[in-house]
Amino acid sequence: MAAAERIRIVLVGTQHPGNIGSAARAMKTMGLSRLVLVAPEKAPNAESYALAAGADDVLAAASIHETLAEAIADCRLVLGCTARSRRIALEELEPRAAGVRAVSEAAGGSEIALVFGRERTGLTNDEYELCHVAVHIQANPDYSSLNLAMAVQVLSYELRMAALAVGPASAGEDERREPPASHAEMEGFFSQLADTLDVIDFHKGRAPESAMRKLRRLFLRAQPDTREVRILRGVLADAQRMARLAGERDA
Ligand code: SAH
C-alpha cells in the first residue's frame, strides 16, 4: 500500500527484545515496513529475530534514534498509543478512526508516526506531549494494557483496513485488473456457449432461451476481462471436443 510507505511504527524504550521482533512480524503481516526504535533497552538480538519469523527484513531495516523528538522530527501527524488516559488532554481517537486519519494524511503526502511506549511504564509525559493525538484501544477497563506487539498488531490492522477501503489502487498490492472484455468478445463467448450447450445436450428438449438469458446475466455481471474470456472459451472448446469424441465412440 502506497500510504504505508509514509507511516512509521515507533517503539520507545522497549525493554524486551522479543517484543521488537513480534512487532516487526505484526507490521509485515499488515503490509507495513518502517520500524523505528528509540533508545531500546537492548538492541535487537537473536530472540528478536526468532520472534520476527519471516519479518527479519523489517527488523534489519529498523533505524535507531536516541530520542523520540529525533525519530518523529519530520512527521506531520504523531499518534501516541496509550493504555491509560492521562492528565494532559490530547484529542483521543479509537484505532479505527486513527487508521483512517493516518492513511488519509499519508495519502496526502504527510509523514505519519504511530508511537508505542515501554512495556512497564508506557510513554513518559514528556514523550506523550510530543504526540498530536492519543490512541486508546478500548480494552477491558480493569485490565487494559495489551502486550506491546499486540497493540502494534491492532493498529497495523486498522491501518490496512483503512488503506484497503480507499481502494485497491492505493492498496497497490492487488493484482491489477484488466478492463472488462469488449462487447464483441462477450458476444463471441455467448455464441460459443450456446453452441456448446447444444452439443452436450444441456437443454434436453427445453427451449434454450431461458437458460441462455440467465447465463448471459451471470457472465455480464462478472465482467470478465479478455484473458478470462479466453480461458472460458478454452473450456468450451474442450467440452465440445470431448462431446464429439464421445459421439464418435458411441456411433
Ligand atoms: N503499563 C504500561 C503499559 C504499557 S504496554 C502503561 O501503563 O502505560 C506498552 C505499550 O503498548 C503502551 O505504551 C502503548 O503504546 C501500547 N498499548 C498497550 N495497551 C494499549 C491500549 N489499550 N491502547 C493503546 N495502546 C496500548
Coordinates of all heavy atoms in Angstrom, one line a residue, residues 80-84 86 95 115-123 135-139 144-149 151-152 155, ligand 1:
G80 N 0.0 8.9 19.5 CA 0.6 8.2 20.7 C -0.4 7.2 21.2 O -1.5 7.5 21.6
C81 N 0.1 5.9 21.2 CA -0.8 4.8 21.7 C -0.6 4.6 23.2 O 0.5 4.4 23.6 CB -0.4 3.6 20.9 SG -0.7 3.8 19.2
T82 N -1.7 4.7 23.9 CA -1.6 4.6 25.3 C -2.6 3.7 26.0 O -3.8 3.7 25.5 CB -1.6 6.1 25.9 OG1 -1.8 6.0 27.3 CG2 -2.8 6.8 25.4
A83 N -2.2 3.0 27.0 CA -3.0 2.0 27.6 C -3.9 2.7 28.7 O -4.8 2.1 29.3 CB -2.2 0.9 28.3
R84 N -3.7 3.9 29.0 CA -4.5 4.6 30.0 C -4.7 6.1 29.7 O -4.0 6.6 28.8 CB -3.7 4.5 31.4 CG -2.3 5.1 31.3 CD -1.5 4.6 32.4 NE 0.0 4.6 32.0 CZ 0.8 5.4 32.5 NH1 0.5 6.3 33.5 NH2 2.1 5.4 32.1
R86 N -4.7 10.1 30.4 CA -3.7 11.0 31.0 C -4.3 12.3 31.5 O -5.3 12.7 31.1 CB -2.6 11.3 30.0 CG -2.0 10.2 29.2 CD -0.9 9.6 30.0 NE -0.4 8.4 29.3 CZ 0.9 8.2 29.2 NH1 1.8 9.0 29.8 NH2 1.4 7.1 28.6
P95 N -8.8 3.1 17.6 CA -8.0 2.7 16.5 C -8.5 2.8 15.1 O -7.8 3.2 14.2 CB -7.7 1.2 16.8 CG -7.8 1.2 18.3 CD -8.9 2.2 18.7
V115 N 3.3 5.9 17.8 CA 4.3 5.8 18.8 C 3.8 4.8 19.9 O 2.6 5.0 20.4 CB 4.6 7.2 19.4 CG1 5.7 7.0 20.5 CG2 5.1 8.1 18.3
F116 N 4.6 3.9 20.3 CA 4.3 2.9 21.4 C 5.3 3.0 22.5 O 6.5 3.1 22.3 CB 4.2 1.5 20.8 CG 3.2 1.3 19.7 CD1 3.4 1.7 18.4 CD2 1.9 0.8 20.1 CE1 2.4 1.5 17.4 CE2 1.0 0.6 19.1 CZ 1.2 1.0 17.8
G117 N 4.8 2.9 23.7 CA 5.7 3.1 24.9 C 6.3 1.8 25.4 O 6.2 0.7 24.8
R118 N 7.0 2.0 26.6 CA 7.7 0.9 27.2 C 6.7 -0.1 27.8 O 5.6 0.3 28.2 CB 8.5 1.4 28.4 CG 9.6 2.3 27.9 CD 10.1 3.3 29.1 NE 11.0 4.3 28.5 CZ 10.5 5.4 27.9 NH1 9.2 5.6 27.8 NH2 11.4 6.2 27.4
E119 N 7.1 -1.4 27.9 CA 6.2 -2.4 28.4 C 5.8 -2.1 29.8 O 4.6 -2.3 30.2 CB 6.9 -3.8 28.4 CG 7.2 -4.4 27.0 CD 8.5 -3.9 26.5 OE1 9.0 -2.9 26.9 OE2 9.1 -4.7 25.6
R120 N 6.7 -1.7 30.7 CA 6.4 -1.5 32.1 C 5.7 -0.2 32.3 O 4.7 -0.1 33.1 CB 7.6 -1.6 33.0 CG 7.7 -2.9 33.7 CD 8.7 -2.9 34.9 NE 10.0 -2.3 34.4 CZ 11.0 -3.1 33.8 NH1 10.8 -4.4 33.6 NH2 12.1 -2.5 33.5
T121 N 6.2 0.9 31.7 CA 5.7 2.2 32.1 C 5.1 3.1 31.0 O 4.7 4.2 31.2 CB 6.9 3.0 32.7 OG1 8.0 2.9 31.8 CG2 7.4 2.4 34.0
G122 N 5.0 2.5 29.8 CA 4.4 3.3 28.7 C 5.3 4.4 28.3 O 6.5 4.4 28.3
L123 N 4.7 5.5 27.9 CA 5.4 6.8 27.4 C 5.5 7.7 28.6 O 4.6 7.7 29.5 CB 4.6 7.5 26.3 CG 4.5 6.7 25.0 CD1 3.4 7.4 24.1 CD2 5.8 6.6 24.3
V135 N -4.2 7.6 21.0 CA -5.0 6.4 20.6 C -5.1 5.4 21.7 O -4.1 5.0 22.3 CB -4.3 5.8 19.3 CG1 -5.2 4.6 18.8 CG2 -4.1 6.8 18.2
H136 N -6.3 5.0 22.0 CA -6.5 4.1 23.0 C -7.4 2.9 22.5 O -8.4 3.1 21.9 CB -7.2 4.7 24.2 CG -7.5 3.8 25.3 ND1 -6.5 3.2 26.1 CD2 -8.7 3.3 25.8 CE1 -7.1 2.4 27.0 NE2 -8.4 2.4 26.8
I137 N -6.9 1.7 22.6 CA -7.7 0.5 22.3 C -8.6 0.3 23.4 O -8.2 0.0 24.6 CB -6.7 -0.7 22.1 CG1 -5.7 -0.4 21.0 CG2 -7.5 -2.0 21.7 CD1 -4.5 -1.3 21.0
Q138 N -9.9 0.3 23.1 CA -10.9 0.1 24.2 C -10.9 -1.3 24.7 O -11.7 -2.1 24.3 CB -12.3 0.5 23.6 CG -12.5 2.0 23.3 CD -12.4 2.9 24.5 OE1 -12.6 2.4 25.6 NE2 -12.2 4.1 24.3
A139 N -10.0 -1.5 25.6 CA -9.9 -2.9 26.2 C -10.7 -2.9 27.5 O -11.4 -2.0 27.9 CB -8.4 -3.1 26.5
S144 N -6.4 -3.1 31.0 CA -6.4 -2.5 29.6 C -5.1 -2.5 28.9 O -5.0 -2.0 27.8 CB -6.9 -1.1 29.8 OG -6.0 -0.3 30.5
S145 N -4.1 -3.1 29.5 CA -2.8 -3.0 28.9 C -2.5 -4.2 28.1 O -2.3 -5.3 28.6 CB -1.7 -2.8 30.1 OG -0.5 -2.8 29.5
L146 N -2.4 -4.0 26.8 CA -2.1 -5.1 25.9 C -0.5 -5.3 25.8 O 0.2 -4.3 26.1 CB -2.5 -4.8 24.4 CG -4.0 -5.0 24.1 CD1 -4.9 -4.0 24.7 CD2 -4.2 -5.0 22.6
N147 N -0.1 -6.5 25.4 CA 1.3 -6.7 25.1 C 1.7 -5.7 24.0 O 0.9 -5.5 23.1 CB 1.5 -8.1 24.7 CG 2.8 -8.3 24.0 OD1 2.8 -8.2 22.7 ND2 3.8 -8.6 24.7
L148 N 2.8 -5.1 24.1 CA 3.3 -4.1 23.1 C 3.1 -4.6 21.7 O 2.4 -3.8 20.9 CB 4.8 -3.8 23.4 CG 5.5 -3.0 22.3 CD1 4.9 -1.6 22.2 CD2 7.0 -2.9 22.7
A149 N 3.5 -5.7 21.3 CA 3.4 -6.2 19.9 C 2.0 -6.4 19.5 O 1.6 -6.2 18.3 CB 4.2 -7.5 19.7
A151 N -0.5 -4.6 20.6 CA -1.1 -3.3 20.4 C -0.6 -2.8 19.0 O -1.4 -2.2 18.2 CB -0.6 -2.3 21.4
V152 N 0.6 -3.1 18.6 CA 1.1 -2.8 17.3 C 0.2 -3.5 16.2 O -0.1 -3.0 15.2 CB 2.6 -3.2 17.1 CG1 3.0 -3.0 15.7 CG2 3.5 -2.3 18.0
L155 N -3.3 -1.8 15.7 CA -3.2 -0.6 15.0 C -2.8 -0.8 13.5 O -3.3 -0.2 12.6 CB -2.2 0.4 15.6 CG -2.8 1.4 16.7 CD1 -3.9 2.3 16.0 CD2 -3.4 0.7 17.9
Ligands
SAH1 N1 2.0 -0.3 31.9 C1 2.0 0.5 30.8 C2 1.6 -0.3 29.6 C3 2.5 -0.4 28.5 S1 2.1 -1.5 27.3 C4 1.2 1.8 30.9 O1 0.5 1.9 31.8 O2 1.3 2.6 30.0 C5 3.2 -1.0 26.1 C6 2.6 -0.1 25.0 O3 1.6 -0.8 24.3 C7 1.9 1.1 25.6 O4 2.8 2.2 25.9 C8 1.1 1.5 24.4 O5 1.8 2.2 23.4 C9 0.6 0.1 23.9 N2 -0.7 -0.3 24.4 C10 -0.9 -1.3 25.3 N3 -2.2 -1.3 25.6 C11 -2.8 -0.4 24.8 C12 -4.2 0.1 24.7 N4 -5.2 -0.5 25.4 N5 -4.4 1.1 23.8 C13 -3.4 1.7 23.2 N6 -2.1 1.3 23.3 C14 -1.8 0.3 24.1

